[in-house]
């Protein structure tokens, strides 16, 4: 219960963050899908800039999460990981497709596992279509393993799978942002008295468990 209330109070305040990230991932993914024959160096640079921007956005919202006392650890992991990946691609635009697919797959895997975790949190809130985010997360995990287990796929094929994986990241980021926005609107309708009773009840439960 306490975690559910924490989501309502904290996570949904920045519901537009995953919306921005989702749009970035989808646009980059579509570019990869329709430009598989593009000069490899240029494609690598597009990925590098997109991933670094994504990491910067995560870190920009990090201060607010720490100040509010909400869960900020995953945001830090995402931000630093994506900044590192983007920097590696930026500094090594001619990196082999084999390594590029593994690097992107690692990023997709982390965010997909996070999506599955978020779907469970949405379920605790009573969101009926929580399973949609879970399914998208599972598909993301599958795509990540396809890239990891088949790093020697032909260049154009790797670009295609990277595009699909990024679009999948974008879809569950958009889905999550819409759910958070909906929860934020619903949370405003909860009376302050009821919120205080909820907090008091949670504190009493914690005290009993620690006896």
């Amino acid at each position: 219960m306490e975690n559910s209330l924490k989501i309502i109070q904290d996570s949904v305040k920045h519901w537009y963050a995953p919306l921005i990230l989702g749009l970035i991932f989808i646009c980059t993914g579509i570019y990869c899908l329709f430009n598989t024959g593009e000069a490899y160096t240029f494609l690598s640079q597009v990925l590098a800039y997109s991933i670094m921007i994504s990491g910067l956005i995560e870190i920009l919202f990090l201060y607010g999460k720490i100040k509010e006392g909400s869960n900020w650890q995953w945001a830090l992991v995402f931000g630093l990981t994506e900044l590192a990946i983007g920097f590696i691609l930026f500094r090594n635009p001619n990196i082999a497709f084999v390594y590029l697919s593994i690097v992107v797959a690692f990023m997709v895997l982390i965010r997909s596992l996070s999506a599955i975790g978020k779907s469970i949190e949405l379920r605790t809130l009573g969101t009926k279509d929580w399973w949609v985010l879970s399914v998208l997360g599972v598909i993301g995990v599958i795509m990540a393993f396809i890239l990891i287990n088949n790093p020697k796929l032909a260049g154009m094929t790797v670009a295609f799978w990277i595009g699909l994986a990024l679009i999948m990241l974008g879809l569950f980021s958009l889905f999550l942002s819409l759910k958070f926005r909906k929860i934020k609107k619903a949370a405003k309708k909860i009376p302050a008295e009821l919120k205080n009773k909820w907090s008091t009840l949670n504190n009493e439960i914690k005290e009993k468990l620690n006896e």
Side-chain angles (χ1 to χ4, degrees), residues 55-174:
L56 285 173
I57 291 174
E58 288 284 6
I59 292 176
L60 284 175
F61 287 103
L62 188 62
Y63 176 74
K65 291 183 178 181
I66 295 175
K67 188 176 180 180
E68 294 162 1
S70 59
N71 297 325
W72 53 269
Q73 291 84 354
W74 274 112
L76 178 62
V77 171
F78 291 149
L80 293 179
T81 299
E82 290 174 358
L83 277 178
I85 291 174
F87 183 74
I88 290 172
L89 294 178
F90 179 76
R91 295 284 294 179
N92 302 277
N94 294 315
I95 187 173
F97 260 121
V98 173
Y99 299 111
L100 176 61
S101 62
I102 293 176
V103 168
V104 174
F106 179 69
M107 182 189 74
V108 172
L109 179 62
I110 292 178
R111 283 198 172 270
S112 297
L113 292 174
S114 174
I116 295 173
K118 290 294 184 183
S119 71
I120 296 174
E121 292 178 348
L122 289 177
R123 183 185 180 187
T124 64
L125 293 175
T127 303
K128 294 181 180 180
D129 50 358
W130 62 271
W131 57 271
V132 175
L133 186 60
S134 184
V135 170
L136 291 174
V138 170
I139 294 175
V141 170
I142 293 172
M143 288 186 173
F145 277 107
I146 288 175
L147 289 172
I148 292 173
N149 293 325
N150 300 277
K152 294 184 179 181
L153 289 171
M156 289 182 64
T157 305
V158 171
F160 178 80
W161 279 102
I162 287 175
L164 284 181
L166 291 176
I167 290 174
M168 191 57 57
L169 285 183
L171 288 177
F172 64 65
S173 291
L174 290 179

